[in-house]
Amino acid sequence: MTRLRIGIIGASGYSGIELTRILAQHPHVELALLTSDRWQGLTAAAKLGLSGPAASLEYQSPPTPALLTRADGSNRHWSTCDVIFLATSVEVSLALIPSLVEEIATVIDLSGAFRFPTAELFARAYGQPHSAPALLPTAVYGLPELDRKGLRGARLVANPGCYATAGALALAPLVSDDLCLPDSLVIDAASGVTGAGRKGTEELSFAEVDGDFRAYRVLRHQHTPEIAQTLSRLSPAVRSSGQSLRPSFTAHLLPLRRGILATAHARLRPSIGEEAVRAAFVHNYADEPFVRLLPTPDDVGLKQVLGSNRCHLSFAVDHDEAIVVASLDNLVKGAAGQAVQNLNAVMGWPETTGLDELRGFYP
Amino acid sequence: MTRLRIGIIGASGYSGIELTRILAQHPHVELALLTSDRWQGLTAAAKLGLSGPAASLEYQSPPTPALLTRADGSNRHWSTCDVIFLATSVEVSLALIPSLVEEIATVIDLSGAFRFPTAELFARAYGQPHSAPALLPTAVYGLPELDRKGLRGARLVANPGCYATAGALALAPLVSDDLCLPDSLVIDAASGVTGAGRKGTEELSFAEVDGDFRAYRVLRHQHTPEIAQTLSRLSPAVRSSGQSLRPSFTAHLLPLRRGILATAHARLRPSIGEEAVRAAFVHNYADEPFVRLLPTPDDVGLKQVLGSNRCHLSFAVDHDEAIVVASLDNLVKGAAGQAVQNLNAVMGWPETTGLDELRGFYP
Amino acid sequence: MTRLRIGIIGASGYSGIELTRILAQHPHVELALLTSDRWQGLTAAAKLGLSGPAASLEYQSPPTPALLTRADGSNRHWSTCDVIFLATSVEVSLALIPSLVEEIATVIDLSGAFRFPTAELFARAYGQPHSAPALLPTAVYGLPELDRKGLRGARLVANPGCYATAGALALAPLVSDDLCLPDSLVIDAASGVTGAGRKGTEELSFAEVDGDFRAYRVLRHQHTPEIAQTLSRLSPAVRSSGQSLRPSFTAHLLPLRRGILATAHARLRPSIGEEAVRAAFVHNYADEPFVRLLPTPDDVGLKQVLGSNRCHLSFAVDHDEAIVVASLDNLVKGAAGQAVQNLNAVMGWPETTGLDELRGFYP
Amino acid sequence: MTRLRIGIIGASGYSGIELTRILAQHPHVELALLTSDRWQGLTAAAKLGLSGPAASLEYQSPPTPALLTRADGSNRHWSTCDVIFLATSVEVSLALIPSLVEEIATVIDLSGAFRFPTAELFARAYGQPHSAPALLPTAVYGLPELDRKGLRGARLVANPGCYATAGALALAPLVSDDLCLPDSLVIDAASGVTGAGRKGTEELSFAEVDGDFRAYRVLRHQHTPEIAQTLSRLSPAVRSSGQSLRPSFTAHLLPLRRGILATAHARLRPSIGEEAVRAAFVHNYADEPFVRLLPTPDDVGLKQVLGSNRCHLSFAVDHDEAIVVASLDNLVKGAAGQAVQNLNAVMGWPETTGLDELRGFYP
């Protein structure tokens, strides 16, 4: 089989690095392009210690919108790629994707630029207008465990947010099986700092973050409407009532490099007990290779998922009170790993291709 | 003024150390007795670097129940103390306090042994019978900001749990002003490891805790009924209905030595808006020297309260959704500092005596 | 090619876990036996998230000396293994290896039990007598970059200590090329806590280790004579004079899970300058796949080697003063990875087999 | 006694914050001026939680060189101060101090601007010319334990560097008692990140520093000549030979907020043994309130000195090899605390004034 030629734009950010490492060992692809605003001319071997064919690949300067719109034909390094991943900010993704989708068979965007179906919803979540609203209906939201049917052959995939993946996976069984009161959903989640990307600000300096723990963007986090949308799509109650779900979501910053833990709360409908909840988790996730249901919520931690594409979860029930705890690595299942899982789904390969071998990192 | 003679039982645990450091500089007291199961014969100068009169105090072996009941009169070192603090486990407090209260003017217990008014409530929370039920009605629960009236002259003070202090301070204004739906309360809180005491278990080893974050004792944490009881006492809705509050509380272990952050959620009653919430926080806490209301929940962190007896808090409101974030140092406002604040209240001294000078530790 | 059948004794310790993960993906071997004192009956999938053939392997109880000496034939689970790794303490390795070497083709011991050629040297380093002195001359010390000639076909391999690997790799070029004064060697090295193994002691509890940094076993660390022996074997000055080297080595405990950094100091012989030093590093390590020489000592850190089998190093020279900094992952190049590298050398496979694919873990 | 009026320039940096907290409780001073480039108009109560008279003090904008040279008389807020501390960069200190010393009775500079007696030595250490060379001979280097005689009444005090304090205190007894070979001194020291000041760079971001440990500025750290100078002044061998000492010093960055540990190595002169070394430490430090000699180097850690002005140290000797380990809090004994100790020495107050009450922060 000819290997698919892959480009990564934003390859020196933390998600871009993880993506590079995973794809460098993926059996069906070949890394053809890495762009970076800081490592131009250096090799993947030098910066990441890669061996094998990707080792000698040199980082290129990132494509500019002018380059992409052919105003300048001098360095169209991306044009031979079959698939391009963007591990970039919303702003960069918005600037590049309209041109890229015209030339490249599949574009997988890790930013939040194409996660909502309308420009209005995007604007409400991100506080800025959307510059390519026509593309929005063409994008497929890629959280395979909850809906993989549109992914096969997709041209533009919106990779979910890290919190949105954890929060939605935690509550999806209760919501899709209609076991809980729609207005009772509360999610408190905490993430390591790499969720904020790679940057040098005093706020994210070691001296400030170490020893601290705090909530941020309280009641105005952009992942709140993303979780609401994902869960609403699954909810029979929403389908019958036309209302949407409004989970209360709060993000917290952990003094850690990696990992997300989400603690989700719901009030169960009358007479729904632990067995119904267990049945919902089992039938929703039994065949999912990356979701693992653990015996109790106390068993769910970050260390066992770090460096893997897994999501660990478990639940507890007391009367009408249900608590679900879910964990994942924000750079893998919350970003790069899920993006590769989406590539696999687009191509019709087993979703675990190139991901099952991730060995984790413990302790 | 003659200085009050103070004894600390359990002086080498983390709360006991903090208590020793605070009381060593309290202007109205004199440290007369420190007991420890590991530092016997060593001085407070050697172990804690104390200077001043407490420096030469030597740690004694802990009193045993036999000693206390006068079966053995050989080493009644505690008997000249005016006040004894117990920074001990529930089991040790239960074994010692019945004898101590007969001889010592005031006993301040940092364990959970005397926080409930009945043996039945204790047994439900701690999963063990209470061996001194007759004393339970005599104990005063010492969370001064919420109820200080029974503290003056109290003989036995039950110092609150660290999570219970954070959770109750966060929600008390909403509950006591009857602004929220009684069955909507959810609290997710996270604590540094010193909340678990001083011990060498693999579970609390550095290799396991570092890099991890997890919920624990989900739906069976002993601080849940303590928070429920404290908030229920404040609630007009509970008083009129006879029902009690059942807040959903989940504890999480942070990869940190110290600090608790509680994120509390409530649904507001119809037509209650941000202004009513603000008014509730202001009038409940305006005169409280240790509670500081910050502009937004994003401002509330651990670093600004570490080493101080303060509780920082703030709230945000969106429609009927209210989120309150509160932080404190689990060893100070969550344990030793609050115990000294309670001593001050018992003696009728300003509550800030010996506590205002705590300089904090930042960064 | 038939896969080699591998057993790991001590598979639930931190080195044992790393060994399991690496060997589970090694192309020429098959995991046949994992023993553990705590995970008996559980699977490698459940504990480590392994997929593939090793996933369903169940941890067995560790072999006892009685079992090994055939006093009891009931559970000779190890006897079908071609190679056995011991990720155990010195005591356990001493108890098991004399029997194991009679039945098993190759035994690779990660403990310090067989790193010295004589019982006297062992006793001096470990403060205990050696119970199998006759085996000592048969053991091959496995630090391939410095001496790989005895490894091919070896029956008993002594895997080096983590500090000893870092310290010896740092100074070997200067010593073997005779560039420095033999009595001028000083090494300060610092390791994450997993170097101390998996245990629950108050000393290694999170509350004690976090925020701290300290030297330990100063002037009595067991890796000091191991480094001295390794460097002495390389030294022309030692060969000509008959004296041995006495590097001063000090170990420090980092508040980290993994990683070792060694800072080594030497006084250069007269007229030896930076170019001679560079030449020594280049010709000693140019063909070593796991050693990477970086431009300056400031470039050498832990993060770029974590999760890989690499050793990063660099040096600086000022007049007669040379400083070499080396880093490695104590669980990989300092333990499990080097053990697999030794297996490869024993079998005559490329030393990078199964190790090159280790993707690292950054950030 | 009238309280001395104190100004702090650079009061929002980490050393400036520590200085503010210490001086706010110093019995003989009154905080009169705090300047900050980021907190202008905010109060010390709001930013640091201070209570007491300093609580309502508002941060002012920093003085500019123009202001200081009276080109602009509009805001000469510093002019009523008796003492000014500069917790600023070398550049800012050089710009301000020439004017300040003309108006202010005592200036205490925490930067490296005035630690060398000549412009040439400064230029060699800092790689830039000195703009006020005439002032250099007037500055008194303030490391009281090693030389306090010039401090009484000093007009300009150069507060030592944090590493220089730790390194010099570790080796001073061996050097001043002439027990070791002058060319054998090696110091490896490691510091928490606050030693680098308060800044937002990617290099000091949490994601980069956490999990890492590395040497930096190897063989070109500016504290190396400072240590050399301090030790050379104490050395009889230097006095008799005219040569100076050239200790080899290497700095390392710890993944910690605070604390420095220095491990120092020396070869003892023939026939010098452990007793002579012990005697040297005892007679040099027996009367020093802030230096504590511990039983073994393994006892010296960061946690017991954090938040205090103490330096802990201990040594071990094996034949002619001596190792000394010293620890201190880089923001206290390594910066702000030592600056206050120097103020006390300038004024003739007991050096412990306002410092003895620092309670430390453990765990």
Side-chain angles (χ1 to χ4, degrees):
Chain A
M1 182 164 75
T2 314
R3 286 171 175 253
L4 219 59
R5 289 174 58 81
I6 305 281
I8 301 174
I9 298 179
S12 56
Y14 296 132
S15 293
I17 290 172
E18 197 70 41
L19 206 41
T20 308
R21 283 197 293 217
I22 295 172
L23 290 169
Q25 293 180 240
H26 191 290
H28 303 334
V29 312
E30 162 193 8
L31 280 176
L33 171 70
L34 302 174
T35 79
S36 163
D37 51 7
R38 67 184 76 195
W39 291 348
Q40 297 154 28
L42 302 171
T43 65
K47 295 312 297 178
L48 307 186
L50 289 191
S51 54
S56 58
L57 202 59
E58 279 181 22
Y59 291 90
Q60 309 287 323
S61 54
T64 59
L67 275 175
L68 286 167
T69 53
R70 305 167 189 222
D72 175 347
S74 59
N75 184 10
R76 302 180 44 75
H77 46 47
W78 67 91
S79 60
T80 66
C81 291
D82 300 305
V83 178
I84 284 187
F85 289 85
L86 289 99
T88 47
S89 66
V90 161
E91 289 71 21
V92 171
S93 287
L94 283 174
L96 300 183
I97 285 178
S99 304
L100 285 174
V101 289
E102 295 188 14
E103 294 192 71
I104 306 298
T106 297
V107 170
I108 299 180
D109 180 28
L110 279 74
S111 88
F114 292 91
R115 292 180 192 153
F116 293 97
T118 71
E120 191 198 341
L121 288 166
F122 172 84
R124 214 181 291 161
Y126 285 85
Q128 56 181 292
H130 199 285
S131 56
L135 281 178
L136 286 171
T138 74
V140 180
Y141 187 76
L143 213 173
E145 286 81 2
L146 301 187
D147 185 4
R148 52 173 55 87
K149 61 181 178 302
L151 284 166
R152 183 73 190 262
R155 300 282 319 275
L156 174 56
V157 177
N159 212 53
C162 49
Y163 283 122
T165 300
L169 288 175
L171 287 175
L174 298 180
V175 167
S176 63
D177 284 24
D178 205 21
L179 304 183
C180 58
L181 302 178
D183 62 349
S184 72
L185 307 179
V186 172
I187 303 167
D188 281 308
S191 173
V193 295
T194 53
R198 181 170 198 159
K199 50 190 168 193
T201 62
E202 191 186 302
E203 219 175 6
L204 294 180
S205 70
F206 185 87
E208 294 298 313
V209 171
D210 183 57
D212 209 356
F213 179 64
R214 55 175 68 230
Y216 63 98
R217 301 184 60 78
V218 173
L219 286 181
R220 55 198 176 82
H221 197 286
Q222 69 278 12
H223 287 183
T224 308
E226 189 182 335
I227 299 171
Q229 163 179 285
T230 303
L231 293 176
S232 294
R233 284 172 183 161
L234 300 171
S235 166
V238 165
R239 276 196 298 273
S240 64
S241 75
Q243 288 187 305
S244 66
L245 296 176
R246 282 206 312 123
S248 174
F249 166 75
T250 306
H252 299 73
L253 185 66
L254 281 167
L256 289 175
R257 306 199 288 286
R258 291 183 177 218
I260 282 185
L261 190 99
T263 301
H265 307 256
R267 293 275 167 190
L268 299 175
R269 292 188 184 280
S271 85
I272 297 297
E274 188 168 355
E275 279 322 295
V277 172
R278 180 171 312 280
F281 276 90
V282 168
H283 82 79
N284 275 277
Y285 293 139
D287 299 329
E288 290 301 335
F290 295 122
V291 179
R292 180 174 299 175
L293 185 62
L294 301 185
T296 78
D298 294 31
D299 297 318
V300 178
L302 302 183
K303 302 278 280 280
Q304 278 73 23
V305 296
L306 290 187
S308 87
N309 198 49
R310 290 195 301 273
C311 175
H312 280 188
L313 41 75
S314 189
F315 63 86
V317 170
D318 183 17
H319 297 87
D320 67 340
E321 185 182 349
I323 293 182
V324 188
V325 180
S327 69
L328 51 80
D329 185 329
N330 57 298
L331 292 181
V332 191
K333 182 61 181 166
Q338 181 141 279
V340 174
Q341 186 182 354
N342 280 324
L343 170 69
N344 292 337
V346 167
M347 302 304 299
W349 301 327
E351 283 180 21
T352 55
T353 311
L355 293 168
D356 225 19
E357 298 79 7
L358 289 172
R359 299 175 213 221
F361 186 78
Y362 170 86
Chain B
M1 182 163 77
T2 315
R3 285 169 176 256
L4 218 60
R5 290 174 59 80
I6 304 282
I8 301 175
I9 296 178
S12 56
Y14 295 133
S15 292
I17 290 172
E18 197 70 41
L19 206 42
T20 308
R21 283 196 293 217
I22 295 172
L23 290 169
Q25 292 181 242
H26 190 291
H28 303 334
V29 312
E30 163 192 8
L31 281 176
L33 170 71
L34 302 174
T35 80
S36 163
D37 51 7
R38 67 184 73 194
W39 290 349
Q40 297 153 29
L42 301 171
T43 64
K47 296 311 296 178
L48 308 186
L50 290 192
S51 55
S56 59
L57 202 58
E58 279 181 23
Y59 292 90
Q60 308 287 323
S61 53
T64 60
L67 274 175
L68 285 166
T69 54
R70 305 166 189 223
D72 175 347
S74 60
N75 184 10
R76 303 180 42 75
H77 46 47
W78 68 91
S79 60
T80 66
C81 292
D82 301 305
V83 178
I84 283 186
F85 290 85
L86 288 100
T88 48
S89 66
V90 161
E91 289 71 21
V92 170
S93 288
L94 283 174
L96 300 183
I97 285 178
S99 304
L100 284 174
V101 290
E102 295 189 14
E103 292 193 70
I104 305 299
T106 297
V107 171
I108 299 179
D109 180 28
L110 279 74
S111 88
F114 292 91
R115 293 181 191 153
F116 293 98
T118 71
E120 191 198 343
L121 288 166
F122 172 84
R124 214 181 292 160
Y126 285 86
Q128 57 181 290
H130 198 286
S131 56
L135 280 178
L136 285 172
T138 75
V140 180
Y141 187 75
L143 213 173
E145 286 80 2
L146 301 187
D147 185 2
R148 53 173 55 89
K149 62 181 179 298
L151 284 165
R152 183 74 191 261
R155 300 284 316 276
L156 174 55
V157 176
N159 211 53
C162 49
Y163 283 122
T165 300
L169 289 175
L171 287 174
L174 298 180
V175 168
S176 63
D177 284 24
D178 206 21
L179 304 184
C180 58
L181 301 178
D183 62 349
S184 71
L185 307 179
V186 172
I187 303 167
D188 281 309
S191 172
V193 295
T194 52
R198 181 170 196 160
K199 50 191 168 194
T201 63
E202 191 186 301
E203 220 176 3
L204 294 180
S205 70
F206 185 88
E208 294 297 314
V209 171
D210 184 56
D212 209 355
F213 180 63
R214 55 175 68 230
Y216 62 98
R217 301 185 60 77
V218 173
L219 286 181
R220 56 197 175 81
H221 197 286
Q222 69 277 11
H223 287 184
T224 308
E226 189 182 334
I227 299 171
Q229 163 179 285
T230 303
L231 291 176
S232 293
R233 284 172 183 161
L234 299 172
S235 165
V238 166
R239 277 195 298 272
S240 63
S241 74
Q243 290 186 304
S244 66
L245 296 176
R246 282 205 312 123
S248 173
F249 166 75
T250 307
H252 298 74
L253 184 67
L254 281 167
L256 288 177
R257 307 200 289 285
R258 291 183 176 215
I260 282 185
L261 190 98
T263 301
H265 306 255
R267 294 274 167 191
L268 299 176
R269 293 188 185 280
S271 86
I272 297 295
E274 188 169 355
E275 279 321 296
V277 172
R278 180 170 311 280
F281 276 90
V282 169
H283 83 77
N284 274 277
Y285 293 139
D287 298 330
E288 291 299 336
F290 295 121
V291 179
R292 180 174 299 177
L293 184 63
L294 301 186
T296 79
D298 294 31
D299 298 317
V300 178
L302 301 184
K303 302 277 280 281
Q304 280 72 23
V305 297
L306 290 186
S308 86
N309 198 49
R310 289 195 300 273
C311 175
H312 280 188
L313 41 75
S314 189
F315 63 85
V317 170
D318 182 17
H319 295 89
D320 67 339
E321 186 183 349
I323 293 182
V324 188
V325 180
S327 70
L328 50 81
D329 185 329
N330 60 298
L331 292 181
V332 190
K333 183 60 181 167
Q338 182 142 277
V340 174
Q341 185 182 354
N342 280 323
L343 170 69
N344 292 336
V346 168
M347 303 304 298
W349 301 328
E351 283 179 20
T352 56
T353 311
L355 292 169
D356 225 19
E357 297 78 9
L358 289 172
R359 299 175 213 221
F361 186 77
Y362 170 86
Chain C
M1 183 163 76
T2 314
R3 286 169 175 256
L4 219 60
R5 290 174 57 81
I6 305 282
I8 300 174
I9 298 178
S12 56
Y14 296 133
S15 293
I17 290 172
E18 197 70 40
L19 206 41
T20 308
R21 282 195 294 217
I22 295 173
L23 290 169
Q25 293 180 242
H26 191 290
H28 303 335
V29 312
E30 163 194 7
L31 281 176
L33 171 69
L34 302 174
T35 79
S36 163
D37 51 6
R38 66 185 75 194
W39 291 348
Q40 297 154 27
L42 302 172
T43 64
K47 295 311 297 178
L48 307 186
L50 289 192
S51 55
S56 59
L57 202 59
E58 280 182 22
Y59 291 91
Q60 308 287 322
S61 53
T64 60
L67 274 175
L68 286 167
T69 54
R70 304 164 190 226
D72 175 349
S74 59
N75 184 12
R76 301 181 44 75
H77 45 48
W78 68 92
S79 60
T80 66
C81 291
D82 301 304
V83 178
I84 284 186
F85 290 86
L86 289 99
T88 47
S89 66
V90 161
E91 289 71 21
V92 170
S93 287
L94 283 174
L96 300 183
I97 285 177
S99 304
L100 284 175
V101 290
E102 295 188 13
E103 293 192 71
I104 306 297
T106 297
V107 170
I108 299 180
D109 180 27
L110 280 72
S111 88
F114 292 91
R115 293 181 192 151
F116 293 97
T118 71
E120 191 197 341
L121 288 166
F122 172 84
R124 213 181 294 160
Y126 285 86
Q128 56 181 290
H130 198 285
S131 56
L135 282 178
L136 286 171
T138 75
V140 180
Y141 187 75
L143 213 172
E145 286 81 2
L146 301 187
D147 185 1
R148 53 171 57 87
K149 62 182 178 299
L151 284 166
R152 184 73 190 262
R155 299 284 318 277
L156 173 55
V157 177
N159 211 54
C162 48
Y163 282 121
T165 300
L169 289 175
L171 287 174
L174 298 180
V175 168
S176 63
D177 284 23
D178 206 21
L179 305 184
C180 57
L181 302 178
D183 62 349
S184 72
L185 308 180
V186 172
I187 304 167
D188 281 308
S191 171
V193 295
T194 52
R198 182 170 196 160
K199 50 191 169 194
T201 63
E202 191 186 300
E203 221 175 3
L204 293 180
S205 70
F206 185 89
E208 293 298 314
V209 171
D210 183 57
D212 209 355
F213 180 64
R214 56 175 68 230
Y216 63 98
R217 301 184 60 78
V218 173
L219 287 182
R220 56 196 176 80
H221 198 285
Q222 69 276 13
H223 288 184
T224 308
E226 188 182 336
I227 299 171
Q229 162 179 285
T230 302
L231 292 176
S232 294
R233 286 172 182 161
L234 300 172
S235 165
V238 165
R239 277 194 298 272
S240 64
S241 74
Q243 288 188 305
S244 67
L245 296 176
R246 283 205 311 123
S248 172
F249 166 74
T250 307
H252 299 74
L253 184 66
L254 280 168
L256 288 175
R257 306 201 287 286
R258 291 183 175 218
I260 282 185
L261 190 98
T263 301
H265 307 256
R267 294 274 166 190
L268 299 175
R269 291 189 186 280
S271 84
I272 298 296
E274 187 169 356
E275 279 322 297
V277 172
R278 181 170 312 279
F281 276 90
V282 167
H283 83 78
N284 274 277
Y285 293 140
D287 299 329
E288 291 300 335
F290 295 123
V291 179
R292 180 174 298 177
L293 184 62
L294 302 185
T296 79
D298 295 31
D299 298 318
V300 178
L302 302 183
K303 303 278 279 280
Q304 279 72 26
V305 297
L306 291 186
S308 87
N309 197 48
R310 290 194 301 272
C311 174
H312 281 188
L313 40 76
S314 189
F315 63 87
V317 171
D318 182 18
H319 297 88
D320 68 339
E321 185 182 349
I323 294 183
V324 188
V325 180
S327 69
L328 51 79
D329 185 330
N330 59 299
L331 293 181
V332 190
K333 183 61 181 166
Q338 182 142 277
V340 173
Q341 185 182 356
N342 280 323
L343 169 69
N344 292 336
V346 167
M347 303 304 298
W349 302 327
E351 284 180 21
T352 56
T353 311
L355 292 169
D356 225 20
E357 299 78 9
L358 289 171
R359 300 176 212 221
F361 186 77
Y362 170 84
Chain D
M1 183 165 76
T2 314
R3 285 169 176 254
L4 220 58
R5 290 173 59 80
I6 304 281
I8 301 174
I9 297 178
S12 55
Y14 296 133
S15 293
I17 290 172
E18 197 70 40
L19 206 41
T20 308
R21 283 196 294 218
I22 296 172
L23 290 170
Q25 293 181 239
H26 190 291
H28 303 334
V29 313
E30 163 193 8
L31 281 176
L33 171 71
L34 303 173
T35 79
S36 163
D37 51 6
R38 66 184 75 194
W39 291 349
Q40 296 153 26
L42 301 172
T43 65
K47 295 312 296 179
L48 307 186
L50 289 192
S51 54
S56 58
L57 203 59
E58 279 182 21
Y59 291 91
Q60 309 287 323
S61 52
T64 59
L67 274 175
L68 286 166
T69 53
R70 306 168 189 220
D72 175 346
S74 58
N75 184 11
R76 303 180 43 75
H77 45 48
W78 68 92
S79 60
T80 65
C81 292
D82 300 305
V83 178
I84 284 186
F85 291 85
L86 289 99
T88 48
S89 67
V90 161
E91 290 70 21
V92 170
S93 288
L94 283 174
L96 301 183
I97 285 178
S99 304
L100 285 174
V101 290
E102 295 189 15
E103 294 191 71
I104 306 299
T106 297
V107 170
I108 299 179
D109 180 28
L110 279 74
S111 89
F114 292 91
R115 292 179 192 154
F116 293 98
T118 71
E120 191 198 340
L121 288 166
F122 172 86
R124 213 180 294 161
Y126 286 86
Q128 57 181 290
H130 199 285
S131 56
L135 281 177
L136 285 170
T138 75
V140 180
Y141 187 75
L143 213 173
E145 285 81 2
L146 301 187
D147 185 2
R148 53 172 55 88
K149 61 181 178 300
L151 284 165
R152 183 73 190 262
R155 298 285 317 275
L156 174 56
V157 177
N159 212 54
C162 48
Y163 283 121
T165 300
L169 289 175
L171 287 174
L174 298 180
V175 168
S176 63
D177 284 24
D178 206 21
L179 305 182
C180 57
L181 301 178
D183 62 350
S184 71
L185 307 180
V186 172
I187 304 167
D188 281 309
S191 172
V193 295
T194 52
R198 180 170 198 160
K199 49 192 168 194
T201 63
E202 191 186 301
E203 219 176 6
L204 294 180
S205 70
F206 185 88
E208 293 298 314
V209 172
D210 184 57
D212 209 355
F213 180 63
R214 55 176 67 231
Y216 62 98
R217 301 183 61 77
V218 173
L219 286 181
R220 53 194 177 83
H221 197 286
Q222 69 278 11
H223 287 184
T224 308
E226 188 181 336
I227 299 171
Q229 162 179 287
T230 302
L231 292 176
S232 294
R233 285 173 183 160
L234 299 172
S235 165
V238 166
R239 276 194 298 273
S240 63
S241 74
Q243 289 188 304
S244 66
L245 297 175
R246 282 205 312 124
S248 173
F249 166 76
T250 307
H252 299 73
L253 185 65
L254 281 167
L256 288 175
R257 307 200 288 286
R258 291 185 177 215
I260 282 184
L261 190 99
T263 301
H265 308 255
R267 294 273 167 193
L268 299 176
R269 293 188 184 279
S271 85
I272 297 296
E274 187 169 356
E275 279 322 296
V277 173
R278 181 171 311 281
F281 276 90
V282 167
H283 83 79
N284 274 278
Y285 293 140
D287 299 330
E288 291 301 334
F290 295 122
V291 180
R292 179 174 298 176
L293 185 62
L294 302 185
T296 79
D298 294 31
D299 298 318
V300 178
L302 301 184
K303 303 278 279 280
Q304 278 72 25
V305 296
L306 291 187
S308 86
N309 197 50
R310 289 194 301 272
C311 175
H312 281 188
L313 40 75
S314 189
F315 63 86
V317 171
D318 183 17
H319 297 86
D320 67 340
E321 186 183 348
I323 293 183
V324 188
V325 181
S327 69
L328 51 79
D329 185 328
N330 58 299
L331 292 181
V332 189
K333 182 61 180 165
Q338 181 142 278
V340 173
Q341 185 182 354
N342 280 324
L343 170 69
N344 292 336
V346 168
M347 302 304 299
W349 302 327
E351 284 180 21
T352 55
T353 310
L355 293 168
D356 224 20
E357 299 78 6
L358 289 172
R359 299 174 213 221
F361 186 77
Y362 170 86

